[in-house]
Amino acid sequence: MEIRANHTYPSRRSAVLAENIVVTSQPLASQAGLSMIMRGGNAVDAAIATAITLTLVEPTGNGVGSDAFAIVWDGKELHGLNASGRSPAGWTPERFSDHEVMPFRGWESVTVPGAVSAWVALSDRFGKLPFAELFEPAIGYAENGFIVTPVIAQLWQNAVETLDGYPGFADAFLPGGKPPKAGTRFINAPLAKTFRLIAETKGEAFYKGALAKAICDFAAEHGAALTQDDMAAHTVDWCGTISKTFDDVELHEIPPNGQGIAALMALGILSHTAIRDLEADDPLAFHLQIEAMKLALVDAEAYVADQDYMIDVTSQALLDDAYLASRAALIDETRAQDFSVGAPKNGGTVYLSVADASGMMVSFIQSNYAGFGSGVVVPNTGIALQNRGAGFSLDPESANRVGPNKRPFQTIIPGFLMGPDGPLMSFGVMGGPMQAQGHVQMVLRTQVWGQDPQMAADAPRWRFVEGLEVACEDTMDDTTLEALKVFGHILSLEAPDNAFGFGGAQLICRLKEGGYAAGSDPRKDGAAMGF
């Protein structure tokens, strides 16, 4: 990978180079994280402080009521954390018998939030600074206000028509009945109080104390199933990672219930194609990636669920190299196809990355799922609750069928890339179903085609939609777009400022001679900062 000035893609940013780096989708959050390293903290302390601050300054993508996942390189080995919440005990299939699909908003989409437990677990295992100290930047911004950035202001405006009538939303997020505009100050005093309670009790108030009671009293008021017992029963899992090798690099993802396995499958399929012989922006390279991603995603939709329920088809079966080779053989280099599910045998999100001078690297992601999540905000707390329950299926034959105390299929995934000599890259791409697709694009651009992290983040992206439909950024070369149409792909063009459609990528690459190079995404308010 060569670090060079970017004159290839529109943003013309250059990679940030430093010994300590925080890269996020919001500058104030990056500063909060970096300040922890300056105080003597490590990459994990910085990641937690950044994540906490993001729940305030980017409420359109995450909140205290989010779920979270992380991959940590501690200097010697990788650790994977699944802090996603489970469904309420009252969520039997019969509860949703009058629905054709799972509710997408409101209380019937709310599962137990896991982000707070992620902060606590990471701090307990790896942190150096006192837990309460990590909340100081966020508390300051909540009490004194922060200036709303343009991308977030637009996403905030977009949410109003959909969410205005949901319980607690207007009181929390529509001051004076309107969303804040870019350049205006937003104060969230209730969230400051929530931060203090979580900080002082190290999360106990959120799962077993005053905040849990406030959440569940509000649930009961609206006939929802979530109870204090559900909150108190929440646990995180140090689950390790699953991985797939492509030549001499190895992509690591969190095991299901997340979609990271789809990125591994697509990469495994591509290892059996001519992708290595092509240039980064060759239309055939795009075609092969799209077809491999289709094959991976149709299988992921059919088989991926809470890992405890993946009995008939396991992760190992989906990642079996012989199976992936058989799927690769289905790809036609001359035309696009609408693939069916294979038959393996049993064998508005925020992402941040942090790396410090000691060698510790953190890949962390948390999300409310849809922008502002369920639309439900607990009064006088600033807690916006996620809508992860929408990830369940109502199909009686699905391993992902809704049920009590069960984790739904998740879209949010942190990525981590290892090489023969240790860690290569901590990275992620935000944006629902775009995430696994973005992981594959980032790995190939940095590792096969030698692009630095900023170039990889700036490059035009594609997103498989369904059937033969593919969305492409309208900055993609016209010749490439015409060639994809010849392959038979049905294209729709979207503007690159569609931060959720094509995700916001954040990447930190370790340099051979020490230090790091980072890329942040102009599709959001991406900010890589270091010293």
Side-chain angles (χ1 to χ4, degrees):
M1 180 181 66
E2 179 184 355
I3 306 295
R4 56 188 184 272
N6 179 16
H7 300 297
T8 306
Y9 303 118
S11 89
R12 300 181 71 87
R13 291 185 182 186
S14 295
V16 171
L17 308 173
E19 300 287 345
N20 302 275
I21 289 184
V22 179
V23 56
T24 77
S25 53
Q26 215 281 352
L28 296 179
S30 295
Q31 292 175 17
L34 210 58
S35 72
M36 296 301 144
I37 298 179
M38 291 178 172
R39 296 185 191 192
N42 60 21
V44 165
D45 295 313
I48 299 167
T50 300
I52 294 165
T53 304
L54 280 167
T55 65
L56 170 73
V57 300
E58 194 171 340
T60 52
N62 75 134
V64 175
S66 289
D67 271 349
F69 298 84
I71 300 175
V72 178
W73 172 258
D74 66 2
K76 295 181 179 179
E77 61 180 315
L78 282 179
H79 305 269
L81 177 67
N82 183 337
S84 62
R86 297 167 177 83
S87 56
W91 272 21
T92 62
E94 290 72 29
R95 184 180 182 89
F96 300 92
S97 59
D98 60 343
H99 293 268
E100 293 185 1
V101 295
M102 285 294 295
F104 193 71
R105 302 278 192 180
W107 271 111
E108 293 294 74
S109 67
V110 176
T111 51
V112 175
V116 171
S117 67
W119 307 340
V120 174
L122 287 166
S123 179
D124 282 346
R125 187 162 185 178
F126 299 110
K128 292 174 64 178
L129 297 176
F131 185 67
E133 192 171 340
L134 309 179
F135 287 77
E136 290 178 5
I139 290 172
Y141 288 128
E143 290 179 337
N144 302 315
F146 67 95
I147 309 303
V148 178
T149 54
V151 171
I152 292 169
Q154 184 59 58
L155 294 172
W156 211 317
Q157 174 66 50
N158 295 347
V160 173
E161 186 174 333
T162 303
L163 299 177
D164 191 4
Y166 284 92
F169 180 81
D171 289 343
F173 290 115
L174 301 180
K178 297 179 180 179
K181 294 181 178 179
T184 61
R185 183 177 297 272
F186 181 73
I187 296 173
N188 196 335
L191 188 55
K193 293 179 181 178
T194 289
F195 284 150
R196 290 188 186 279
L197 271 173
I198 295 171
E200 291 165 1
T201 66
K202 211 163 190 180
E204 190 79 2
F206 191 82
Y207 291 104
K208 297 180 180 179
L211 295 174
K213 185 177 186 304
I215 292 168
C216 296
D217 285 351
F218 197 45
E221 182 181 329
H222 291 271
L226 188 67
T227 67
Q228 288 181 252
D229 286 343
D230 294 323
M231 295 291 290
H234 173 73
T235 57
V236 305
D237 293 326
W238 289 102
C239 57
T241 62
I242 52 176
S243 64
K244 196 67 184 172
T245 298
F246 185 99
D247 294 341
D248 61 349
V249 302
E250 190 171 44
L251 176 60
H252 287 256
E253 302 278 356
I254 297 292
N257 55 316
Q259 67 166 324
I261 193 171
L264 302 180
M265 293 170 66
L267 202 62
I269 291 168
L270 285 166
S271 70
H272 297 282
T273 70
I275 194 76
R276 302 169 186 80
D277 302 327
L278 306 170
E279 297 297 323
D281 297 311
D282 187 314
L284 180 56
F286 285 121
H287 171 69
L288 292 176
Q289 291 173 74
I290 292 166
E291 297 299 279
M293 204 70 242
K294 287 181 189 178
L295 287 161
L297 288 173
V298 294
D299 277 2
E301 183 177 356
Y303 299 122
V304 174
D306 184 327
Q307 189 144 269
D308 291 342
Y309 294 82
M310 289 177 63
I311 298 170
D312 293 332
V313 176
T314 65
S315 297
Q316 291 77 11
L318 290 169
L319 294 174
D320 179 76
D321 197 56
Y323 174 65
L324 295 179
S326 72
R327 298 295 271 167
L330 299 176
I331 296 176
D332 187 329
E333 290 191 358
T334 66
R335 65 183 180 92
Q337 299 179 74
D338 185 0
F339 297 108
S340 59
V341 174
K345 295 180 180 179
N346 188 12
T349 301
V350 296
Y351 172 81
L352 63 97
S353 184
V354 182
D356 67 28
S358 76
M360 179 177 277
M361 300 177 73
V362 181
S363 183
F364 184 97
I365 197 161
Q366 66 186 19
S367 172
N368 276 345
Y369 191 25
F372 287 104
S374 63
V376 175
V377 185
V378 182
N380 304 313
T381 68
I383 299 172
L385 294 167
Q386 63 184 19
N387 62 325
R388 280 293 165 190
F392 279 121
S393 170
L394 295 181
D395 180 356
E397 302 302 317
S398 173
N400 187 43
R401 187 187 191 190
V402 67
N405 306 311
K406 184 176 180 180
R407 283 173 164 150
F409 174 82
Q410 287 265 0
T411 56
I412 59 173
I413 50 173
F416 207 98
L417 202 62
M418 296 290 291
D421 300 320
L424 294 174
M425 184 167 72
S426 171
F427 73 107
V429 179
M430 297 162 271
M434 178 64 203
Q435 295 186 41
Q437 305 186 55
H439 281 206
V440 170
Q441 293 174 60
M442 295 304 110
V443 170
L444 292 175
R445 286 190 174 276
T446 58
Q447 306 305 313
V448 175
W449 296 310
Q451 295 185 348
D452 72 39
Q454 189 59 55
M455 290 185 68
D458 289 343
R461 296 204 273 273
W462 51 266
R463 183 185 75 254
F464 166 62
V465 181
E466 62 179 356
L468 300 178
E469 296 178 42
V470 179
C472 295
E473 289 189 296
D474 61 9
T475 54
M476 193 174 285
D477 182 77
D478 287 343
T479 303
T480 300
L481 294 171
E482 289 305 313
L484 290 175
K485 290 178 184 177
V486 172
F487 281 120
H489 299 287
I490 300 172
L491 304 185
S492 61
L493 298 185
E494 299 178 14
D497 60 359
N498 183 352
F500 282 110
F502 294 106
Q506 318 290 354
L507 310 91
I508 297 179
C509 294
R510 191 181 72 156
L511 301 175
K512 289 184 179 179
E513 297 182 2
Y516 306 94
S520 60
D521 207 311
R523 295 164 185 80
K524 299 189 81 172
D525 295 315
M529 299 181 181
F531 68 93

